[in-house]
Amino acid sequence: MVEVTVLGIAQDGGHPQPGCLRPCCANLTEHHYPVSLGIRSDEGTNILIEATRHLGDQFTLWGQTHVDHLLLTHAHFGHVDGLGLFGRETLSAQGIHLHVSEEMYHLVDQTPQWNLMVQQGVFEIQTFAVDAALYNKGELTIEPIRIPHRDELSDMHAFIIRGPNKSLLFLPDHDTWDETLTVHKCSTLRQWLSAMRIDIALIDGTFWSEDELGGRDQSKVPHPPVLQTLNMLGEREDGDPEIFFTHLNHTNPLYDQDSEQMKQVSQLGWGVVHQGQRFTL
Ligand SMILES: [Zn+2]
Ligand SMILES: [Zn+2]
Ligand SMILES: [Zn+2]
């Protein structure tokens, strides 16, 4: 049995987002951590995707405090800012297999704090290639998928986690459906998910709509809005995978279970993933 635990559902800034005094972040009873997944293999190996600054809370949620393998999708802040917690000042971990792309490896190598941790034996770096599984033991296989996303620091990879019965796609960030589908030579989202044999898809739901970006220059924060994804998908049909939105910006109305927007998502047969939710693959 392979078990995946959702350790965070927020965009990089978290929810509440530091500095936000608006109703979306004021007086919250529940905090949402930046996206992360904990995977426990059938052999008892612990694999963590993303290193966030809420690692401690996420360990509590997961019920695990030991990481054998750490996978990073890309270099944006919320996905990597917890890397330092594995070092001497905090966990004093040794020999964690850090799986990164070739580009991400260069960034680790050129970042003095991270490079030092590699020299101290905290991380053993293993670079992955898109045409091969990065992990394949027992009943668990993990494959990286190349994804177009702002690449000023590193490239970006989604991960497919395959257990004995089901496969889960983790796609927290991308720029546009157009670019993602074109890279993978598919014309529709359904076709792409079916080509990858996905049963459960956790996909980029950063913004509900373009309005949410307010006066910000949209080209600087490109994520396909949930509304656009819903228009592409329409209603869930027989044989469709389960699709859940994740990586929600603090302004996203989908944090509110009772919002009109949330009703719209569920009426079409899709969902928003919960922090702490577990999937057995
Ligand atoms: Zn992100
Ligand atoms: Zn806010
Ligand atoms: Zn990003």
Side-chain angles (χ1 to χ4, degrees):
M1 182 181 99
V2 171
E3 189 181 60
V4 176
T5 308
V6 176
L7 303 179
I9 66 165
Q11 182 265 359
D12 301 35
H15 181 237
Q17 180 164 296
C20 180
L21 303 173
R22 284 177 283 164
C24 53
C25 293
N27 308 316
L28 295 180
T29 46
E30 195 188 355
H31 289 198
H32 299 98
Y33 315 127
V35 284
S36 171
L37 294 182
I39 305 164
R40 183 129 173 108
S41 83
D42 51 305
E43 297 174 331
T45 302
N46 286 342
I47 300 166
L48 180 69
I49 302 186
E50 316 293 38
T52 90
R53 60 193 173 278
H54 286 281
L55 186 69
D57 301 303
Q58 291 174 317
F59 273 163
T60 306
L61 199 58
W62 191 13
Q64 303 290 333
T65 54
H66 172 81
V67 173
D68 300 296
H69 296 261
L70 173 60
L71 280 55
L72 301 177
T73 56
H74 66 307
H76 286 156
F77 203 58
H79 303 258
V80 297
D81 55 0
L83 274 178
L85 295 170
F86 289 99
R88 287 188 179 170
E89 299 85 349
T90 311
L91 285 165
S92 276
Q94 280 288 300
I96 295 176
H97 301 280
L98 178 62
H99 300 262
V100 289
S101 69
E102 195 70 38
E103 272 191 38
M104 190 68 205
Y105 164 71
H106 288 300
L107 185 72
V108 171
D109 194 47
Q110 286 158 21
T111 304
Q113 296 96 318
W114 295 344
N115 183 303
L116 182 63
M117 290 170 76
V118 175
Q119 286 177 41
Q120 290 171 340
V122 177
F123 299 122
E124 282 175 26
I125 297 194
Q126 288 171 246
T127 53
F128 55 70
V130 282
D131 47 4
L134 65 86
Y135 185 95
N136 187 6
K137 273 191 199 134
E139 295 186 311
L140 170 65
T141 305
I142 304 177
E143 302 161 11
I145 305 282
R146 175 90 174 88
I147 298 292
H149 182 48
R150 291 176 295 127
D151 56 1
E152 59 286 83
L153 291 169
S154 77
D155 51 5
M156 154 88 200
H157 291 81
F159 294 118
I160 300 176
I161 303 149
R162 299 195 194 279
N165 301 306
K166 287 182 177 179
S167 294
L168 181 146
L169 171 71
F170 179 60
L171 171 67
D173 296 63
H174 64 147
D175 289 355
T176 63
W177 279 120
D178 226 23
E179 288 164 275
T180 300
L181 294 176
T182 303
V183 162
H184 295 284
K185 301 181 174 64
C186 287
S187 50
T188 68
L189 172 51
R190 270 193 179 78
Q191 185 194 0
W192 185 46
L193 294 176
S194 147
M196 294 188 291
R197 295 175 288 118
I198 300 299
D199 303 288
I200 301 158
L202 310 187
I203 61 174
D204 186 338
T206 312
F207 300 107
W208 169 256
S209 73
E210 287 171 12
D211 304 341
E212 219 175 314
L213 288 163
R216 272 164 95 179
D217 177 0
Q218 210 195 322
S219 64
K220 290 195 181 128
V221 197
H223 289 273
V226 173
L227 254 185
Q228 185 200 359
T229 309
L230 292 179
N231 283 333
M232 289 167 69
L233 285 169
E235 226 170 312
R236 186 165 180 224
E237 296 161 10
D238 270 358
D240 274 343
E242 292 182 80
I243 298 177
F244 299 92
F245 293 99
T246 189
H247 195 269
L248 308 187
N249 196 58
H250 64 118
T251 53
N252 196 318
L254 294 179
Y255 275 121
D256 178 2
Q257 293 295 312
D258 303 321
S259 65
E260 275 309 310
Q261 291 86 344
M262 188 65 223
K263 271 180 215 146
Q264 230 173 299
V265 172
S266 7
Q267 271 165 9
L268 291 169
W270 316 110
V272 173
V273 81
H274 300 288
Q275 194 161 281
Q277 191 167 347
R278 288 176 199 254
F279 297 96
T280 302
L281 306 183

Short mmCIF file of all heavy atoms in Angstrom, two decimals, residues 11-12 35 74 76 79 149 173 223 247, ligand 1:
data_model
loop_
_atom_site.label_atom_id
_atom_site.label_comp_id
_atom_site.label_asym_id
_atom_site.label_seq_id
_atom_site.Cartn_x
_atom_site.Cartn_y
_atom_site.Cartn_z
N GLN A 11 -0.71 28.47 -1.78
CA GLN A 11 0.32 29.03 -2.67
C GLN A 11 1.52 29.37 -1.79
O GLN A 11 1.41 29.38 -0.54
CB GLN A 11 -0.29 30.27 -3.37
CG GLN A 11 0.60 30.97 -4.37
CD GLN A 11 1.34 32.14 -3.74
OE1 GLN A 11 1.17 32.42 -2.56
NE2 GLN A 11 2.17 32.80 -4.53
N ASP A 12 2.64 29.70 -2.38
CA ASP A 12 3.91 29.87 -1.67
C ASP A 12 3.83 30.77 -0.42
O ASP A 12 4.54 30.55 0.56
CB ASP A 12 4.97 30.45 -2.60
CG ASP A 12 5.23 29.57 -3.82
OD1 ASP A 12 4.27 28.95 -4.31
OD2 ASP A 12 6.37 29.50 -4.26
N VAL A 35 1.99 24.21 -0.39
CA VAL A 35 1.81 22.84 -0.89
C VAL A 35 2.99 21.92 -0.57
O VAL A 35 4.15 22.33 -0.65
CB VAL A 35 1.61 22.78 -2.44
CG1 VAL A 35 0.24 23.22 -2.83
CG2 VAL A 35 2.70 23.56 -3.17
N HIS A 74 10.37 22.77 -8.19
CA HIS A 74 11.07 23.92 -8.76
C HIS A 74 11.55 24.83 -7.64
O HIS A 74 11.33 24.54 -6.45
CB HIS A 74 10.19 24.67 -9.75
CG HIS A 74 8.98 25.35 -9.18
ND1 HIS A 74 8.05 24.71 -8.39
CD2 HIS A 74 8.54 26.64 -9.30
CE1 HIS A 74 7.10 25.56 -8.05
NE2 HIS A 74 7.36 26.74 -8.58
N HIS A 76 10.86 28.10 -6.77
CA HIS A 76 10.15 29.24 -6.18
C HIS A 76 10.07 29.10 -4.66
O HIS A 76 9.98 27.99 -4.13
CB HIS A 76 8.77 29.41 -6.82
CG HIS A 76 8.87 29.97 -8.21
ND1 HIS A 76 7.90 29.77 -9.17
CD2 HIS A 76 9.84 30.71 -8.80
CE1 HIS A 76 8.28 30.39 -10.29
NE2 HIS A 76 9.46 30.95 -10.09
N HIS A 79 8.42 26.60 -2.10
CA HIS A 79 8.67 25.18 -2.35
C HIS A 79 10.03 24.72 -1.82
O HIS A 79 10.30 23.53 -1.75
CB HIS A 79 8.58 24.89 -3.86
CG HIS A 79 7.25 25.28 -4.45
ND1 HIS A 79 6.26 24.37 -4.73
CD2 HIS A 79 6.75 26.50 -4.78
CE1 HIS A 79 5.20 25.01 -5.22
NE2 HIS A 79 5.47 26.31 -5.26
N HIS A 149 6.89 26.78 -16.73
CA HIS A 149 6.57 27.65 -15.59
C HIS A 149 7.73 28.63 -15.46
O HIS A 149 8.87 28.25 -15.70
CB HIS A 149 6.39 26.81 -14.33
CG HIS A 149 6.00 27.59 -13.11
ND1 HIS A 149 4.98 28.51 -13.11
CD2 HIS A 149 6.49 27.57 -11.85
CE1 HIS A 149 4.85 29.03 -11.89
NE2 HIS A 149 5.77 28.48 -11.11
N ASP A 173 2.03 24.15 -9.84
CA ASP A 173 2.27 25.42 -10.54
C ASP A 173 2.42 25.17 -12.03
O ASP A 173 3.10 24.22 -12.43
CB ASP A 173 3.61 26.05 -10.11
CG ASP A 173 3.67 26.47 -8.66
OD1 ASP A 173 3.57 25.58 -7.80
OD2 ASP A 173 3.87 27.67 -8.39
N HIS A 223 -0.79 31.97 -13.80
CA HIS A 223 -1.33 30.65 -13.43
C HIS A 223 -2.69 30.58 -14.11
O HIS A 223 -3.41 31.59 -14.09
CB HIS A 223 -1.56 30.53 -11.92
CG HIS A 223 -0.30 30.45 -11.10
ND1 HIS A 223 0.34 29.27 -10.83
CD2 HIS A 223 0.42 31.41 -10.49
CE1 HIS A 223 1.41 29.51 -10.08
NE2 HIS A 223 1.48 30.80 -9.86
N HIS A 247 -2.72 24.60 -4.15
CA HIS A 247 -1.85 25.77 -4.34
C HIS A 247 -2.70 27.05 -4.40
O HIS A 247 -2.52 27.91 -5.25
CB HIS A 247 -1.02 25.59 -5.64
CG HIS A 247 0.17 26.50 -5.79
ND1 HIS A 247 0.10 27.73 -6.42
CD2 HIS A 247 1.46 26.38 -5.41
CE1 HIS A 247 1.29 28.29 -6.43
NE2 HIS A 247 2.14 27.50 -5.81
ZN ZN B 1 4.23 27.85 -6.01
#
